[in-house]
Amino acid sequence: MSYDRPHYDRPHRGGGNRRRYKDDYDAHDRRRESFESPEQILKNTIIKLGEVDPIQELPRLAKQIREQVPLSVSVISEGIRIAVTEQPYKIPYYAALLRLLHDPTEGENAESSTSSSLGKQVLEDFWKGFQGYLDKLAWRDVRQCIHFFAHLTVAQVISIESMSALLQSFAAVLDEFGVSYGRGRNAALCAIEGLIISGAVMAKSSSSNTTEIIKTVQNYNDSIYSPKLLVQPAMSLFTESRSLENADEVLDTGLVVLKSLDSSEFVEASESFPQPYLDFPDLDPTVSAPFELPAILVPPEVIELDGLATDAGEDAQVKKEDWPQYFFHMFDNETTPDPATPAGFLVRSQILDTIDIFEVNRKECARLLLEYPKWCVPGTFKPKPGAPEPEFESGKNWQLESTVIETVLGSLYLLPESTHKTVYHIALITELCKLSPSTVGPAVGKSIRRLYTALGDGFDVENARRFAEWFAVHMSNFGFQWVWKEWLPDLELSEQHPKRTFIRRALEFEIRLSYHDRVLKTLPEPMQNDTGVISDQTPGPAFEYEDPTHPHYDTAQSILSLLRGRSKANEVLSHIESLKTTLESSGTHLHVDNTIRSISIHCLLSIGSRSFSHLLNAIERYLPLLRGLAGTDAESKQDILSAVASFWRLNRQMVNIVFDKLMQYQIVDPTDVVGWTFENVGGDAHLSGMRPMSLSAFEWDLLKGALDKANGRVMVARRKVAALRKEHDDSVARVKASGGADVGSIEMDADVKPFKQDDSASENPQLTVALKAFASLTREQKGALARTIEGFVSCLAPSPSAGRQNPHAETVITELAWETRVAWTADEWNTWETWGWYRHFCRTASISERLYSPYLRNYQETLGTVGFAKIEGSTSPAAKLMKKTWGMATGQES
């Protein structure tokens, strides 16, 4: 190369360098590219089976697997295992793939095929993964593997005897002493769904134990009668029937399906799900012997010693059990699958699994749900407009969109808590509407109308609250467009009727997501003018002392001036004391302390009312002022809570927020909030004049926030004690190992004193302080729970000498009253709702998924004695129902 070539030989100066730099960059970029290995390519190909046509792809994929060099059985098995557990709708086709791999290659004899069949090798490796799922009790993955094995049994790849023994192993779990409902239900579903799929071939075997498995599941299901009464989506206070017209419990339905199939020798099962492997020739057992599944023992349940439930900090088991699952129906069996049929049961199961698996990606979940008919028997769902008609009709022709929406909402309305966060269900429905608005939109509209109708037929109060939340968020996502005129006739109903209550709450939620005038304009004129539907005032603060004509206007202005000038807390307190002295000397005020607290809290909230950050800054800056006002007596704290509720009476969400912050900064205790709530209960008309002894969703939110705070503090303290105790035990162990010297610190300080081997928690200052804090918080937790029970007793079963009676508490729980509910007044509907919140308190879970019920079990003797002391020995129907509901929640009622 010549280095002295003139520069003018380059017509575009610099261009050569730019080209060279680009080439260098491209080369460097290519070096950074990651190329998939042949094994990764094969695994991804297996996972992506069926993106076009699974039937056509199966032979090609089987050939590609056999031709892979070198052949890696573990890669093939891993690809199938991932696909089976993450794409359950493809399981029949992966069973068909393994059936093809089970065939001996040309030239193989029976002896060699027995030991070297590729299908057997893959299945042996797959079993190792299944055993891993089982050891971890990953129930969903275990159940998907059971589906896979069941299909392989029908495909003659797995022996009937070993499959029968596998299902019997899961049925044996149901006979365990003290088996929890969560463990029992999951094991039962493994047996039920495995039998539905493989029962057709198992019924023909003389060694099958199908009848025994069904009987075992039936006996277990009969033993869990009481819990089912508490989680039904429709609340019935006068009957103990667990069968509902518009809902079904998953184990009840599974048994109905199994019994129906067993009586018909499982004839209907073959038409309920795809079986592509049946298109292949039958396997010759002398050439390809069936695979024998190894015997298993389902591992025992892991007992969580989440303990320290006693004042002394001793470990105590807190058992977190699942509850029975009732799914609400919104459509008839001609529109959506009947879960009491094999096809309907499995369709719902697969849709629920898809929703569960793809929680991390709602958009992908929505796409897969709308493509679900691709993986079903042709004719299961109606074809899309313009799509070719199926080759044969299955007689079902269900509506896909209605099925999906019903299943998503059924999962949302599970009690006591939904499977996933409410926001996930709401976002998933939104994505479905965006993908196919013309088909999903009508299904959503029909669901809303069906749920609205159910409100007047006993729809559970917690589900009614979730319905209002979903409706409001959904409307906000689609321009607040709803045909409100349809519900105009319901304005004639009682103001506290569940339908009226729903409309009011939904609009309140909509205003939180938008603003008052925007929502008001979407309503027809009769609703706009009805203050029982939407307030005529914009949500905001209600500063009582803002009017110059108010007698305490000047007093409030003087405090406001100090707060706005960011005066120190002690200066404000001194000024307040001088104001109190002035008011006392005037002799015109009977409750000076109450008045001063009300003025001070109103002023403090006023300077924090502009935004949430302003509120936090005001509270944090004047914590000493708040503590001075609260003092140590309960009356002062009640005054503070009343002042907060008065200031934010036009925006009830802020009442909940401020209460939470006051508890967070320990200005008030959870017990104070619980007590205040029951002292000021007034149904949904709280703070507006009506004061019957009843609760609405607003009061329940306050109670739940207080109980969550008390339980959360105990959990934090428990973890801290556990960590300190572990640290203490480790120190003792190190001392013992080193013969008396703390090896962890001997190099740091040569003069360190030996740690005595008999050191106890009392000699560890940090642990001692933590134990004292834990004991204090535990007492606070017990107090909050006991006060809640007492409050419900005062609402629903007050003693004859109580000052505030609720005459409707005993009448609304009778069948006769329920049948004539069309004539109920506001007070009667409020009382009925209070019964609903009491039931929910006994069964419910907090937002952080810590069930109250375990805490109730820990303290059930103490709480039962204290909480029900006022109705001890009472024979009134209301008192009996309260105790019975309590017994169901705490496991005392069988």
Side-chain angles (χ1 to χ4, degrees):
M1 176 181 291
S2 173
Y3 291 92
D4 58 352
R5 184 165 50 184
H7 291 289
Y8 54 79
D9 287 345
R10 292 181 292 156
H12 304 287
R13 296 187 178 184
N17 288 335
R18 286 196 297 272
R19 175 65 180 272
R20 184 168 64 252
Y21 295 153
K22 183 176 184 301
D23 291 343
D24 290 345
Y25 175 80
D26 289 344
H28 178 68
D29 190 53
R30 285 195 298 272
R31 286 195 300 270
R32 294 176 60 184
E33 288 180 2
S34 60
F35 293 94
E36 291 184 335
S37 64
E39 290 81 7
Q40 290 173 323
I41 293 175
L42 179 61
K43 183 171 70 174
N44 291 337
T45 303
I46 292 173
I47 294 173
K48 294 177 181 178
L49 169 67
E51 289 192 349
V52 179
D53 187 336
I55 299 298
Q56 295 182 4
E57 294 175 25
L58 279 171
R60 293 200 298 267
L61 180 56
K63 182 179 179 182
Q64 179 182 350
I65 291 173
R66 290 185 183 276
E67 293 176 351
Q68 183 78 15
V69 177
L71 186 63
S72 176
V73 172
S74 62
V75 171
I76 302 169
S77 172
E78 183 182 3
I80 295 177
R81 189 164 57 245
I82 292 173
V84 165
T85 55
E86 297 185 7
Q87 302 175 104
Y89 41 85
K90 294 184 181 181
I91 288 177
Y93 299 94
Y94 285 106
L97 174 63
L98 202 64
R99 162 66 182 80
L100 290 176
L101 297 178
H102 195 71
D103 285 336
T105 56
E106 294 184 6
E108 271 190 340
N109 54 33
E111 183 179 352
S112 62
S113 67
T114 302
S115 59
S116 62
S117 166
L118 179 57
K120 282 191 175 181
Q121 295 177 45
V122 172
L123 198 49
E124 287 172 356
D125 195 81
F126 185 96
W127 179 265
K128 297 176 183 177
F130 168 72
Q131 190 66 55
Y133 296 141
L134 191 61
D135 292 341
K136 295 184 294 184
L137 292 178
W139 285 109
R140 188 193 68 206
D141 295 334
V142 167
R143 187 163 45 81
Q144 304 304 344
C145 291
I146 295 294
H147 286 204
F148 185 56
F149 296 147
H151 281 287
L152 289 174
T153 303
V154 181
Q156 303 176 331
V157 175
I158 290 177
S159 70
I160 296 175
E161 293 75 13
S162 64
M163 184 65 196
S164 179
L166 177 66
L167 297 181
Q168 183 62 51
S169 298
F170 287 98
V173 172
L174 307 179
D175 291 328
E176 295 175 353
F177 176 76
V179 59
S180 69
Y181 181 77
R183 176 178 173 85
R185 185 193 66 202
N186 284 312
L189 286 177
C190 288
I192 289 173
E193 295 181 8
L195 269 182
I196 292 175
I197 296 171
S198 62
V201 295
M202 292 179 62
K204 300 175 183 178
S205 173
S206 58
S207 61
S208 173
N209 53 0
T210 302
T211 304
E212 295 178 13
I213 294 175
I214 296 175
K215 184 178 179 181
T216 301
V217 177
Q218 180 68 65
N219 291 338
Y220 171 74
N221 193 47
D222 291 341
S223 69
I224 51 174
Y225 181 81
S226 292
K228 293 185 178 183
L229 300 178
L230 280 181
V231 293
Q232 293 176 338
M235 188 174 74
S236 178
L237 299 173
F238 55 84
T239 180
E240 294 186 1
S241 173
R242 68 184 190 187
S243 60
L244 298 176
E245 181 180 354
N246 295 313
D248 73 285
E249 199 277 324
V250 63
L251 289 189
D252 290 344
T253 307
L255 281 168
V256 170
V257 173
L258 279 184
K259 290 178 180 178
S260 174
L261 289 174
D262 189 41
S263 63
S264 63
E265 297 184 349
F266 290 83
V267 173
E268 188 181 350
S270 60
E271 302 173 356
S272 303
F273 45 83
Q275 295 176 305
Y277 38 78
L278 295 183
D279 295 335
F280 306 143
D282 290 342
L283 286 172
D284 185 350
T286 61
V287 177
S288 299
F291 181 81
E292 297 290 336
L293 296 173
I296 67 162
L297 180 64
V298 180
E301 205 166 18
V302 177
I303 298 177
E304 296 183 15
L305 291 178
D306 202 12
L308 301 181
T310 63
D311 292 345
E314 297 299 325
D315 288 342
Q317 180 181 349
V318 177
K319 209 170 186 180
K320 302 174 181 177
E321 295 182 347
D322 294 334
W323 289 79
Q325 292 185 337
Y326 273 92
F327 289 91
F328 190 72
H329 302 168
M330 279 158 278
F331 302 97
D332 57 49
N333 294 334
E334 301 298 322
T335 304
T336 58
D338 180 4
T341 62
F345 190 86
L346 291 179
V347 163
R348 184 173 68 183
S349 176
Q350 288 188 349
I351 292 178
L352 287 171
D353 286 338
T354 303
I355 293 170
D356 188 31
I357 292 168
F358 288 91
E359 180 190 12
V360 296
N361 191 340
R362 67 181 187 278
K363 293 186 178 181
E364 182 68 7
C365 182
R367 183 186 67 82
L368 291 171
L369 290 176
L370 293 181
E371 293 178 358
Y372 178 67
K374 173 182 180 180
W375 308 102
C376 299
V377 174
T380 299
F381 294 98
K382 289 183 178 180
K384 295 181 179 179
E389 294 292 329
E391 296 180 3
F392 66 93
E393 291 291 336
S394 67
K396 300 180 178 68
N397 283 324
W398 294 314
Q399 294 179 6
L400 172 65
E401 293 79 9
S402 297
T403 301
V404 170
I405 294 299
E406 182 180 69
T407 307
V408 174
L409 291 177
S411 176
L412 172 61
Y413 296 134
L414 289 176
L415 293 170
E417 61 181 355
S418 57
T419 311
H420 301 286
K421 298 291 185 183
T422 301
V423 67
Y424 171 59
H425 295 92
I426 295 174
L428 179 57
I429 293 176
T430 300
E431 294 299 331
L432 289 166
C433 290
K434 290 179 179 178
L435 282 178
S436 183
S438 61
T439 57
V440 179
V444 170
K446 292 176 184 177
S447 300
I448 291 174
R449 293 176 175 90
R450 175 66 186 88
L451 289 169
Y452 181 77
T453 301
L455 290 171
D457 297 329
F459 200 47
D460 189 87
V461 292
E462 167 62 13
N463 277 341
R465 185 192 63 79
R466 295 182 200 170
F467 176 32
E469 286 185 353
W470 167 57
F471 178 84
V473 176
H474 191 78
M475 292 300 106
S476 72
N477 288 333
F478 296 96
F480 298 101
Q481 299 178 15
W482 181 248
V483 190
W484 291 100
K485 292 182 179 179
E486 295 181 2
W487 297 343
L488 283 178
D490 293 330
L491 296 183
E492 301 298 324
L493 297 172
S494 167
E495 189 171 328
Q496 299 306 122
H497 189 281
K499 291 183 178 180
R500 292 287 304 273
T501 302
F502 165 79
I503 294 174
R504 186 163 53 249
R505 292 174 188 167
L507 290 173
E508 181 180 342
F509 292 151
E510 285 190 8
I511 292 172
R512 295 180 189 179
L513 297 167
S514 182
Y515 55 95
H516 183 269
D517 291 345
R518 169 73 175 86
V519 174
L520 185 66
K521 292 177 181 177
T522 64
L523 302 176
E525 188 174 349
M527 287 187 172
Q528 292 182 13
N529 299 328
D530 190 340
T531 56
V533 173
I534 185 171
S535 174
D536 56 356
Q537 295 178 287
T538 302
F543 188 28
E544 185 178 340
Y545 308 98
E546 190 175 24
D547 186 357
T549 61
H550 195 284
H552 298 300
Y553 172 78
D554 293 334
T555 303
Q557 289 300 313
S558 65
I559 297 177
L560 270 178
S561 298
L562 292 176
L563 297 178
R564 288 169 179 166
R566 299 190 177 186
S567 299
K568 293 182 179 180
N570 58 350
E571 296 176 1
V572 180
L573 274 171
S574 299
H575 181 69
I576 289 175
E577 287 297 323
S578 65
L579 292 174
K580 185 193 303 185
T581 303
T582 303
L583 289 177
E584 288 174 346
S585 61
S586 66
T588 57
H589 295 82
L590 298 177
H591 305 286
V592 175
D593 289 340
N594 299 28
T595 303
I596 286 295
R597 290 190 201 102
S598 176
I599 296 173
S600 302
I601 294 300
H602 270 252
C603 291
L604 182 62
L605 293 177
S606 178
I607 65 170
S609 62
R610 292 181 59 186
S611 67
F612 187 63
S613 59
H614 282 77
L615 172 66
L616 288 181
N617 289 336
I619 292 176
E620 290 174 357
R621 184 183 302 121
Y622 290 106
L623 279 176
L625 170 62
L626 287 169
R627 292 193 178 105
L629 292 171
T632 57
D633 61 303
E635 183 183 356
S636 300
K637 296 176 180 180
Q638 295 294 308
D639 288 343
I640 291 176
L641 295 174
S642 296
V644 171
S646 174
F647 184 86
W648 286 113
R649 61 181 177 271
L650 300 180
N651 189 346
R652 299 193 297 182
Q653 181 187 22
M654 287 302 301
V655 176
N656 208 337
I657 291 174
V658 177
F659 278 16
D660 179 75
K661 294 305 171 187
L662 292 177
M663 287 187 290
Q664 178 181 332
Y665 291 108
Q666 298 183 343
I667 306 301
V668 298
D669 297 327
T671 307
D672 297 321
V673 174
V674 172
W676 182 91
T677 301
F678 281 107
E679 287 297 324
N680 293 271
V681 290
D684 208 44
H686 175 69
L687 295 176
S688 64
M690 287 181 59
R691 305 295 285 267
M693 295 294 289
S694 54
L695 270 74
S696 71
F698 167 64
E699 282 86 13
W700 168 250
D701 286 340
L702 297 180
L703 288 178
K704 187 168 73 71
L707 295 174
D708 285 349
K709 188 69 69 176
N711 293 337
R713 286 176 178 173
V714 171
M715 292 294 291
V716 172
R718 177 183 291 117
R719 294 190 186 102
K720 185 174 182 179
V721 170
L724 289 172
R725 180 166 287 169
K726 183 178 183 301
E727 181 181 342
H728 175 76
D729 293 343
D730 290 344
S731 298
V732 173
R734 285 199 303 268
V735 171
K736 290 181 178 180
S738 62
D742 190 345
V743 297
S745 60
I746 193 168
E747 296 181 1
M748 300 295 294
D749 187 354
D751 298 329
V752 67
K753 295 182 180 180
F755 194 95
K756 295 181 181 179
Q757 295 188 14
D758 61 348
D759 278 347
S760 63
S762 62
E763 297 174 351
N764 185 330
Q766 287 183 318
L767 183 56
T768 302
V769 171
L771 282 169
K772 289 181 179 178
F774 174 76
S776 174
L777 292 172
T778 301
R779 287 192 296 271
E780 178 184 281
Q781 180 195 40
K782 290 181 180 179
L785 289 169
R787 183 65 184 87
T788 302
I789 298 175
E790 291 176 352
F792 275 113
V793 169
S794 65
C795 286
L796 299 174
S799 62
S801 60
R804 301 173 65 185
Q805 295 289 325
N806 189 345
H808 309 293
E810 293 189 4
T811 59
V812 298
I813 62 177
T814 63
E815 184 175 5
L816 177 62
W818 180 249
E819 294 300 330
T820 59
R821 62 188 180 277
V822 67
W824 277 7
T825 63
D827 288 356
E828 288 169 302
W829 279 116
N830 274 336
T831 304
W832 181 86
E833 185 177 2
T834 305
W835 274 108
W837 291 123
Y838 173 68
R839 286 163 57 93
H840 193 53
F841 161 71
C842 292
R843 74 189 174 201
T844 194
S846 63
I847 296 176
S848 58
E849 297 182 3
R850 293 187 303 274
L851 291 177
Y852 296 149
S853 299
Y855 297 109
L856 300 180
R857 291 190 182 97
N858 284 335
Y859 314 142
Q860 62 185 12
E861 184 175 350
T862 303
L863 293 176
T865 302
V866 175
F868 296 116
K870 294 181 180 179
I871 55 174
E872 185 64 32
S874 174
T875 58
S876 71
K880 288 182 178 179
L881 182 57
M882 290 196 75
K883 293 178 180 179
K884 186 177 184 64
T885 305
W886 168 264
M888 291 178 185
T890 56
Q892 301 175 68
E893 190 81 23
S894 60

